[in-house]
Amino acid sequence: MRLSPFSFLSLFLVPLSSSAAPHHLKLRQSVTPPRHWIRLGRAPSAHIIQLRIALPQPRFPELERHLAEISNPFHGSYGEHLSKEEVEELVAPHPSSLDAVREWLASHGIRSEARHQSLAGDWVTVYVPVAQAEEMLGTEFSVWKHDKDGDVLVRTTEYSLPALLDQHVELIQPTTIFHRAKRLRSTLHFSPPPDVPPSFSADAKITIPGYAVPVDASCNTTITVSCLKQLYNMVNYVPQAMNKNGIALTSYLEEFANFADLRKFYADQVPAALNTSFNVVLINGGLNKQSDAGAEANLDVQFALGISFPTPGTFYSTGGKPPFKPDKHAVVNTNEPYMTWLDFILGQKNIPQTISTSYGDDEQTVPRDYARRVCAGFAQLGARGTSILFGSGDGGVGDGNPDPTTQICISNDGTNRTRFIASFPSSCPFVTTVGGTTQIPEVAADFSGGGFSEVFPRPWWQEAAVEKFLKSLPNGTYAGLFNPEGRAYPDVSAQADNFKIFFRGSSTPIGGTSASTPSFAGLVALLNDARLTAGKPSLGFLNPLIYSLEGKGFHDVVVGNAPGCGTPGFNATVGWDPVTGFGTPDFGRLKELVLQY
């Protein structure tokens, strides 16, 4: 007999009595739905939702202190990364919190067999019908539809918990989270290349003051692996630590990387790699359909692996596309993807030393407690010696829409203030955020995302650089439109437009910070190769090192701006700025610097 999802769950539930249900519920969170979300009506009572329960991590400040020390090149513990077990010990909840949550779940008839607990014990996950979740959380779930793209989610605008759980539960999601991971710009241009040859000859070069080698003139119209290796001084480096090093790309929203396209890319740009490929890891029902190539996935894999070849590459495909069909009572994953991926990767003994992600959304659509908790997961990876890179977004200071004339830059905190819109996870202080440049000599790409977080305070390692930038602004510039005390981003940049990839069998140009991010990640993988070859540990969390260099090892980009919210946005300027960070990398110089520590 085939069981419905509701019948299947009933095997793990015990009958409820009115006396078993906890009383004295206390409101824990209430939100205003972000713009563009329209309530369609009550969620079907039998629809299954996944609830993730976050337990407090009382020793997380200790982990944060360790991370600061092992990431600071001037500290005696630099590079002494923590083990998986040490990190788990530092994020484990107090046993009393686990007991309280288990008792609460049991009071609602949820047996131990129906609970999933993370290895550290700091997350407990259950699948329950909507009717069960509504009773547990004293709320009402609804079906919500996004009026721009039609996505449908099951969410509530508030939830409550027994007062006895106050100190034992940090948050429960997905409840009030309307955040959706979106691909960054990745603008495809399908027009065929012109028949007329370019005006420059095949051997024409551009000499750029301060850059190590001349650059092919063709790179001003088409970016290839060769262009990036010339621009960023990687031409002559030969990796040697392939058996110790690794690079990975993450994929969500059913974006698949195509092996045949990669072979064509390698034949065109990296002939030595022609007979190689990458490892695919499927998470939470993820797929990698070869009949349905994704431009984003192809871009990530082709340039990250093309630059770092022959470093072993991994492609993580995380399943669970959020949209829900309200007329189907099926088990679907309505959770945003970063925590699903983090659950998996934090449980692995061995992790690639460099991981790149090209997805994000408006920071203000993410409940603050959830944003902090996801960000804390990235801190755990950094503590274990992995560098996490995210694109800065493609809407300048605006809401992620690459067309600045149609951006809506209004706060969703009930005040309806005009505000610049930060991007998440780009704004997380425990990731390295990559902005975009274009042209040769390089200028800021006009879509390069950047700004200041409304959630995360400015971290210690960027105090001096950001203060210097803020003091350079004329008095009153954009006053009230951004939080000058917030974590500022991006940290660095790289070329971000006119990339030549292979997609569905043909070459096509593509661009966005989803191009600059895997490119910078490929360079970081080579820096890790140099350190590992020299017997040193991987770089891990990059930001304290980057800011301590004060621009050394980078080409400062001082021309351009990234408009948004009806303004010209911030300008690229001398030193760090919230358009290009410290600028673009010089691998040769950075290699010398990182081998000193």
Side-chain angles (χ1 to χ4, degrees):
M1 179 180 68
R2 183 181 180 186
L3 296 174
S4 70
F6 185 80
S7 299
F8 176 78
L9 278 218
S10 69
L11 297 177
F12 298 97
L13 303 175
V14 297
L16 285 175
S17 66
S18 58
S19 61
H23 299 282
H24 310 299
L25 295 181
K26 178 180 177 182
L27 182 67
R28 287 297 299 268
Q29 191 170 72
S30 179
V31 302
T32 300
R35 282 173 181 75
H36 302 303
W37 287 101
I38 300 171
R39 183 180 180 274
L40 299 182
R42 287 289 300 271
S45 61
H47 172 65
I48 304 301
I49 58 176
Q50 177 197 57
L51 294 181
R52 291 182 179 274
I53 306 165
L55 282 64
Q57 301 168 325
R59 296 183 65 190
F60 184 79
E62 189 177 344
L63 182 141
E64 198 169 7
R65 177 178 62 79
H66 278 292
L67 181 60
E69 293 173 353
I70 63 181
S71 306
N72 181 354
F74 301 113
H75 195 279
S77 299
Y78 181 66
E80 296 179 6
H81 306 308
L82 303 182
S83 69
K84 171 178 175 289
E85 292 74 20
E86 288 171 330
V87 167
E88 288 171 353
E89 183 179 345
L90 289 174
V91 298
H94 193 278
S96 63
S97 294
L98 269 175
D99 291 341
V101 169
R102 288 169 180 161
E103 290 175 12
W104 173 61
L105 293 174
S107 76
H108 281 279
I110 302 175
R111 291 174 171 162
S112 59
E113 302 95 316
R115 301 192 302 259
H116 169 74
Q117 186 173 304
S118 65
L119 291 175
D122 56 334
W123 286 93
V124 175
T125 303
V126 297
Y127 287 86
V128 295
V130 161
Q132 182 85 346
E134 289 179 336
E135 182 176 352
M136 294 168 64
L137 303 177
T139 190
E140 178 182 295
F141 281 85
S142 299
V143 178
W144 298 81
K145 182 176 182 179
H146 197 276
D147 66 8
K148 295 297 182 183
D149 54 28
D151 281 359
V152 180
L153 299 176
V154 172
R155 294 290 187 269
T156 182
T157 57
E158 65 178 41
Y159 70 92
S160 301
L161 287 171
L164 291 175
L165 289 179
D166 261 358
Q167 61 183 317
H168 301 300
V169 172
E170 193 170 293
L171 61 98
I172 299 179
Q173 291 292 354
T175 49
T176 58
I177 183 171
F178 286 80
H179 168 58
R180 303 166 303 146
K182 297 185 297 187
R183 302 171 186 88
L184 301 183
R185 183 167 174 253
S186 295
T187 305
L188 283 168
H189 307 282
F190 287 103
S191 56
D195 295 329
V196 180
S199 58
F200 47 81
S201 63
D203 58 353
K205 297 285 186 179
I206 302 173
T207 300
I208 313 170
Y211 285 62
V213 298
V215 180
D216 293 343
S218 62
C219 298
N220 236 329
T221 57
T222 303
I223 293 295
T224 64
V225 168
S226 177
C227 291
L228 295 175
K229 287 196 171 185
Q230 293 171 52
L231 265 173
Y232 303 142
N233 194 16
M234 297 182 275
V235 173
N236 297 317
Y237 185 76
V238 179
Q240 301 176 59
M242 290 78 73
N243 61 334
K244 303 177 183 177
N245 197 18
I247 183 171
L249 299 310
T250 66
S251 179
Y252 310 96
L253 308 180
E254 299 178 0
E255 275 276 332
F256 309 128
N258 188 271
F259 296 112
D261 285 339
L262 180 64
R263 286 192 294 271
K264 289 193 172 186
F265 176 83
Y266 279 161
D268 182 67
Q269 298 189 34
V270 195
L274 189 54
N275 294 318
T276 67
S277 189
F278 54 91
N279 183 39
V280 177
V281 177
L282 305 179
I283 303 168
N284 191 42
L287 302 170
N288 193 37
K289 294 180 181 178
Q290 293 304 287
S291 60
D292 189 14
E296 176 66 59
N298 275 6
L299 167 62
D300 289 349
V301 165
Q302 289 172 19
F303 271 86
L305 303 189
I307 289 170
S308 62
F309 173 78
T311 304
T314 300
F315 179 74
Y316 294 111
S317 179
T318 302
K321 196 172 181 180
F324 160 68
K325 302 298 184 184
D327 58 341
K328 304 259 189 202
H329 296 170
V331 177
V332 296
N333 179 10
T334 57
N335 197 30
E336 66 89 26
Y338 302 119
M339 204 63 239
T340 301
W341 177 77
L342 277 168
D343 272 353
F344 172 84
I345 199 70
L346 288 171
Q348 304 306 300
K349 184 73 174 177
N350 298 308
I351 303 175
Q353 290 88 343
T354 310
I355 301 178
S356 173
T357 299
S358 298
Y359 297 77
D361 202 357
D362 299 344
E363 182 187 69
Q364 67 174 2
T365 67
V366 187
R368 292 185 173 221
D369 54 3
Y370 194 71
R372 294 188 186 102
R373 190 58 179 250
V374 171
C375 190
F378 296 132
Q380 294 175 54
L381 291 173
R384 290 177 58 179
T386 293
S387 302
I388 305 295
L389 296 99
F390 273 86
S392 68
D394 301 309
V397 294
D399 66 356
N401 185 337
D403 181 358
T405 65
T406 60
Q407 291 176 345
I408 298 177
C409 301
I410 304 295
S411 66
N412 67 348
D413 58 2
T415 64
N416 291 321
R417 297 171 295 160
T418 299
R419 299 285 283 183
F420 290 165
I421 306 298
S423 176
F424 178 81
S426 312
S427 62
C428 169
F430 300 121
V431 307
T432 299
T433 305
V434 185
T437 62
T438 187
Q439 301 179 26
I440 301 170
E442 294 184 272
V443 302
D446 61 7
F447 53 78
S448 182
F452 298 77
S453 174
E454 300 280 354
V455 174
F456 302 101
R458 187 192 308 160
W460 60 272
W461 35 262
Q462 68 172 191
E463 279 284 356
V466 176
E467 275 298 320
K468 183 178 179 181
F469 170 79
L470 292 173
K471 288 178 181 178
S472 74
L473 290 175
N475 288 338
T477 300
Y478 301 141
L481 294 181
F482 70 98
N483 171 27
E485 303 301 321
R487 188 277 205 251
Y489 70 95
D491 306 299
V492 295
S493 287
Q495 284 279 320
D497 214 358
N498 298 316
F499 277 52
K500 182 183 181 182
I501 68 164
F502 280 78
F503 176 58
R504 297 178 182 172
S506 301
S507 67
T508 187
I510 190 171
T513 56
S514 51
S516 58
T517 306
S519 299
F520 198 95
L523 181 144
V524 172
L526 295 183
L527 291 175
N528 276 327
D529 181 274
R531 283 182 58 86
L532 293 168
T533 299
K536 296 177 180 290
S538 60
L539 290 167
F541 178 41
L542 294 169
N543 293 357
L545 169 67
I546 289 171
Y547 284 81
S548 74
L549 294 175
E550 299 179 334
K552 293 189 291 290
F554 290 89
H555 307 295
D556 196 3
V557 178
V558 298
V559 177
N561 62 294
C565 302
T567 76
F570 296 111
N571 292 322
T573 188
V574 174
W576 180 91
D577 57 69
V579 186
T580 63
F582 278 110
T584 60
D586 180 329
F587 172 79
R589 180 66 179 128
L590 285 171
K591 179 170 69 71
E592 294 174 356
L593 291 167
V594 301
L595 289 177
Q596 294 177 11
Y597 304 114

